[in-house]
Amino acid sequence: SSGINAEYGGSAIPDDLLEKLVSSKLANVATTTCRQLVFGMFDQDIHTRDSADTAQCFSNAHKLVMGNPAPEGTNFAAQFGHMAGGYDAQYYGYMWSEVYSEDMFQTVFKGTGVLSPEAGLKYRTCILQPGGSVDAFDMLKNMLGREPNSDAFFKAKGFA
């Protein structure tokens, strides 16, 4: 046992328990990912129409992604503050931020370690230093040294 706690003066976590903890990371990930897809699709739907029955739009997105409509007589949108808070058809950005951050993590930080001075300098130079003077997508490509892709995202979610 490598002893994840042993480094801090505690007793080591047994390897079998550590394996269970790591594998539990993916519990419910499909449901939570699909839930975010429903929210993004709903947001796109209501913001690309002149008017919308929000309860019906949400139910349609829910049925398409989750396989069943939203519970009858409910209107999730009535309490979904993001829709009235200035997102204006941009909720899908949450999912994209996960795609891009996982790609950066797997490409730059995982191999060298999150505390690697080399990786930190690359992040500072490619992302922090240019700030708003460079398009965010260009900064991402500079950081990765290539076009971003969703491979790391799907792997992290256990879908690949």
Side-chain angles (χ1 to χ4, degrees):
S1 174
S2 61
I4 193 168
N5 278 352
E7 295 179 34
Y8 302 100
S11 58
I13 296 175
D15 287 342
D16 63 326
L17 179 57
L18 191 55
E19 280 182 40
K20 289 177 186 176
L21 287 169
V22 170
S23 66
S24 73
K25 169 187 156 193
L26 297 179
N28 298 316
V29 74
T31 301
T32 57
T33 302
C34 286
R35 182 174 177 261
Q36 291 299 311
L37 288 172
V38 169
F39 295 165
M41 290 174 65
F42 167 69
D43 181 29
Q44 289 290 302
D45 190 16
I46 66 169
H47 284 100
T48 55
R49 302 169 174 255
D50 290 332
S51 64
D53 175 343
T54 57
Q56 188 60 53
C57 290
F58 184 80
S59 189
N60 292 345
H62 197 276
K63 184 173 184 174
L64 184 66
V65 175
M66 304 298 259
N68 60 326
E72 195 170 320
T74 64
N75 187 355
F76 174 81
Q79 61 84 42
F80 192 33
H82 287 84
M83 297 304 102
Y87 280 77
D88 300 335
Q90 295 180 36
Y91 190 87
Y92 68 92
Y94 279 118
M95 190 70 68
W96 275 116
S97 70
E98 282 190 68
V99 170
Y100 295 149
S101 65
E102 195 62 49
D103 198 5
M104 278 198 324
F105 178 77
Q106 294 294 331
T107 301
V108 178
F109 294 98
K110 189 170 184 187
T112 61
V114 293
L115 299 178
S116 158
E118 176 187 315
L121 181 60
K122 187 169 189 172
Y123 183 73
R124 184 173 73 192
T125 304
C126 295
I127 305 294
L128 300 177
Q129 188 174 8
S133 69
V134 175
D135 181 80
F137 196 72
D138 291 334
M139 289 190 292
L140 178 61
K141 289 190 296 188
N142 291 338
M143 176 83 175
L144 295 171
R146 59 168 171 75
E147 291 284 325
N149 64 59
S150 56
D151 296 346
F153 170 79
F154 287 122
K155 183 178 177 186
K157 297 284 186 188
F159 300 149

